[in-house]
Amino acid sequence: RLLTSKRAPREEPVAPFYYFPCQRWLAVEEDDGQIARELVPVDEAFVKKDSENEGQSPATLGLEQKAKSTTYMVKVKTGDKKNAGTDANVFITLYGSKDDTGIVSLKASKINKNKFERGKVDEFTVESVDIGDLKKIKIGHDNKGNSNGWFLEWVEIDAPSLGQCLKFPCGRWLDKSEDDGAIERIIFPAELQTVEYTPFVPYEITVYTSDIFGAGTDADVFIVLYGSDGICTQQKSLCLNKREQRMYFERNSVNQFIVELEDIGDIIEKIRIGHNGAGLNSGWHLDRVTIRRLLPNGK
């Protein structure tokens, strides 16, 4: 009897790595004084000796989760009315065509230290698994604190990976003693105010700081990716805040980031990487950068 062999499982495509060596200072008082450089990719063999050490960072698992998640930029406008602001704890749930985010507390505004003040816009980042197309939101508060009533003007949600920015108009009180007494509301997007654009894609960017004296930096490091035909991404800071700037880009460190950027296609022809020169320890000696464009399944 003839034995038939099992068909080997089809391998999923994996995006290629691009290797950008630098091995130079990005410092006003070192080398040629430049604090930004354009780097072109080299053959993989250039850094093959280090490849077995890649991906061993304890943060790798968290980055893999982030690569499979969707980032939503949430802006919240408090109305310009007397006593419109609230000291209560505000939460939001995003509902999509596939799933919902669950209840997310809006704790740290990127713009204001005191959030949800009269006439102010606050901005938050919400990360979630893919919930599909955004259909509605539920937003409310726990009614705690001295000034707990809240007049919510609108919510705007920008989802770069979906290529959509949606506006959720409210214009009502969330207050037990105003309007209908509700302190949470379900809001649907205003179709005429929806902005569509080409979806962003996630790039995995790994930055290697050199092992020489004074190599680390606390400055704001940014990157721009260039594809074929002259297309490029916006300039993007790799750190979200000053705390991350102090944590990352230390001497002899490897820092990995998942960054959503404009899709420049399958080819990365060059990158521009640099920093703003701010802070006491701004000079930076960059060893190299590796980049790959992640596929939709996070591969």
Side-chain angles (χ1 to χ4, degrees), residues 72 92-96 99-104 126-129 131 134:
Y72 300 92
I92 193 170
T93 304
L94 279 53
Y95 295 87
D99 204 348
D100 65 74
T101 61
I103 296 172
V104 178
V126 173
E127 287 184 0
S128 166
V129 295
I131 62 172
L134 198 52

Side-chain angles (χ1 to χ4, degrees), residues 208-215 250-253 285 287:
Y208 297 78
T209 299
S210 303
D211 186 15
I212 64 174
F213 180 75
E250 295 292 304
R251 173 180 175 173
N252 196 30
S253 67
H285 198 283
D287 184 69

Side-chain angles (χ1 to χ4, degrees), residues 159-172:
S161 63
L162 301 177
Q164 277 193 331
C165 185
L166 297 94
K167 196 75 163 276
F168 295 80
C170 180
R172 295 183 69 178

